[in-house]
Amino acid sequence: MTMQDAGPALLGTAVVVVVLIIRTAVRERREPGSARREWSVLRQRRVLATAAATALVLGGVGWAYSGPAAVPWAVLAGLLAARVRFGGS
């Protein structure tokens, strides 16, 4: 596999990130200050350590099976798993 194989994975994760941003923006419009509360959890060291560990494990396993295309999904999964584990709505 080449790095070109990661293109569709990057596009897919970008779409998911955009959906999360739009969701956050709609909530912020309805309830000012909610976006800051919702994503502030990602500033904590423990949360970032969990995100990094999850991304490394998933990225390593994913790389073994599908090459570099797994990396963007692993990073996104790490961030979302840490956010779900430690808070945020």
Side-chain angles (χ1 to χ4, degrees), residues 3-28:
M3 287 304 276
Q4 290 178 340
D5 295 332
L10 287 171
L11 180 60
T13 53
V15 168
V16 172
V17 169
V18 167
V19 168
L20 289 172
I21 289 170
I22 292 170
R23 178 180 165 266
T24 300
V26 168
R27 278 189 167 175
E28 177 69 19

Side-chain angles (χ1 to χ4, degrees), residues 28-81:
E28 177 69 19
R29 187 137 168 104
R30 290 182 185 160
E31 183 186 339
S34 64
R36 182 172 298 206
R37 285 190 309 274
E38 186 174 349
W39 291 97
S40 67
V41 68
L42 295 179
R43 293 183 185 159
Q44 300 171 16
R45 285 186 182 182
R46 183 176 66 172
V47 174
L48 292 177
T50 300
T54 303
L56 283 173
V57 169
L58 291 175
V61 171
W63 189 288
Y65 285 100
S66 62
V71 174
W73 290 111
V75 171
L76 180 62
L79 288 173
L80 292 176

